[in-house]
Amino acid sequence: MTTTTTTPESTGPAGRVSSLAGASAFPGAVESNPSPDGRRILLATPRGYCAGVDRAVDAVEKALELYGAPVYVRKEIVHNKFVVETLSERGAVFVSETDEVPEGARVVFSAHGVSPAVHAQAAARNLATIDATCPLVTKVHKEAVRFANDDFDILLIGHDGHEEVEGTQGEAPEHIQVVNGPHEVDQVQVRDPEKVIWLSQTTLSVDETMQTVKLLRERFPHLQDPPSDDICYATQNRQVAVKKLAPEADVVIVVGSANSSNSVRLVEVALEAGAGASYRVDKADEIDPAWLDGATTVGLTSGASVPEILVRDVIDRLKGLGFTGVEEVRTATEDIMFSLPKNLRADLKRAGEQPDRPHRARRGATAAPRA
Ligand code: SF4
């Protein structure tokens, strides 16, 4: 099947830097011209920006427009090199810790969330804060506080040192211990085996997390489950899509940065689901043509913090290497959008700006549907 729709420019909503737009800003189909030898790309949908990342990037852009540069951002607003570099060029100043922000200045907290201690440090320095913590991370923080108040031991499945884990653990450090994976289950010690609950980082591999939970439950049969899934819809949807295309793919390319947990998980999931090989790249020029020697089908996806323009660049590069047919493998349609942080909305409103974000169904770009 041939699709001849022209790829549109990334326009995005008013005021948005086009290069930072997500897949929904590219509503047209990706041009597809099947190659004579059948080389093709299977393009995963959903891929790229989730609602939390879209909101966080938008918050920094709106803050720059409204207050002017510099706007300080604690840690990377989302784990993507290109996003951070682009926002830096526009006047965002990324810092590691709150004490690097000048007294009284404005700071944005990243999508990964922060602990109460960081909020307290910001208050002590009279910082004006914009909290871009993803609401789905905030939900896990609230669960942690609630179960800590009920005196549970909380087993937080996640990666030590990841900002999200640090933020969640900081809600109740005396009740939470981090379990990095199945290999750490034997080391877990709890006060009362009848009062134990597991929670998790939002961006983990679903399968590996369930394996950790299974082993934990063998040790603690009364282990409680979280009130609702902590691994978020976007992480799950991207893993389901890559699982579907991986068995047909000689190679799966994941666009995403090395410190992006969900992007790294997509490589692992692709390999576990049967991909011949899988590689993560930040951008198109990192693709080594040798990876594609003898390949007919390349699977392509991107992590939840990746702007669509980087995926389009990879498609162009793959086309240049002979993979000209593009077929979409869609496993879900996403239609989730989060409002901007409350105080930013209020300031936008006072300035006569539109505080509500245009609703954009997060359908992602399309390609030739599969027969
Ligand atoms: S990956 Fe999930 S939890 Fe993380 S920012 Fe996106 S929607 Fe929120």
Side-chain angles (χ1 to χ4, degrees), residues 50-53 111 134 136-137 202-203 232-235 304 338:
C50 59
V53 164
C134 176
L136 300 182
V137 174
T202 57
T203 51
C232 78
Y233 79 96
T235 300
F338 298 133

Side-chain angles (χ1 to χ4, degrees), residues 99-225:
D99 60 12
E100 295 167 45
V101 181
E103 288 257 351
R106 192 172 309 278
V107 64
V108 182
F109 292 144
S110 81
H112 307 103
V114 294
S115 67
V118 173
H119 281 288
Q121 286 158 11
R125 294 179 67 76
N126 293 316
L127 304 182
T129 58
I130 297 172
D131 188 355
T133 303
C134 176
L136 300 182
V137 174
T138 302
K139 181 195 76 130
V140 182
H141 282 220
K142 286 182 177 161
E143 289 170 356
V145 171
R146 178 180 144 203
F147 286 99
N149 286 342
D150 287 345
D151 206 25
F152 274 73
D153 273 7
I154 299 168
L155 308 180
L156 177 61
I157 303 173
H159 298 131
D160 249 337
H162 188 282
E163 285 139 55
E164 181 188 321
V165 169
E166 286 176 355
T168 306
Q169 193 174 22
E171 291 286 358
E174 66 292 353
H175 284 86
I176 297 178
Q177 56 187 300
V178 179
V179 182
N180 279 278
H183 61 287
E184 287 195 358
V185 167
D186 285 347
Q187 300 157 30
V188 173
Q189 299 294 331
V190 299
R191 294 167 301 158
D192 177 356
E194 305 223 339
K195 270 196 116 174
V196 190
I197 184 165
W198 70 274
L199 302 178
S200 85
Q201 190 179 332
T202 57
T203 51
L204 300 182
S205 153
V206 176
D207 294 341
E208 186 181 301
T209 303
M210 287 305 114
Q211 173 64 11
T212 307
V213 171
K214 181 174 164 279
L215 295 175
L216 284 170
R217 187 155 282 127
E218 283 170 12
R219 286 200 58 205
F220 310 111
H222 296 283
L223 178 71
Q224 284 197 28
D225 292 325

Side-chain angles (χ1 to χ4, degrees), residues 215-290:
L215 295 175
L216 284 170
R217 187 155 282 127
E218 283 170 12
R219 286 200 58 205
F220 310 111
H222 296 283
L223 178 71
Q224 284 197 28
D225 292 325
S228 60
D229 279 356
D230 287 343
I231 299 180
C232 78
Y233 79 96
T235 300
Q236 297 196 34
N237 285 348
R238 280 148 192 72
Q239 289 178 15
V240 169
V242 88
K243 266 187 195 174
K244 178 136 188 220
L245 60 76
E248 288 184 63
D250 301 301
V251 178
V252 171
I253 292 178
V254 177
V255 188
S257 289
N259 61 347
S260 161
S261 170
N262 78 90
S263 301
V264 174
R265 300 291 83 74
L266 286 171
V267 172
E268 296 168 0
V269 170
L271 291 171
E272 281 158 16
S278 184
Y279 303 96
R280 182 201 53 74
V281 295
D282 259 299
K283 48 191 173 51
D285 62 11
E286 293 176 8
I287 294 173
D288 181 347

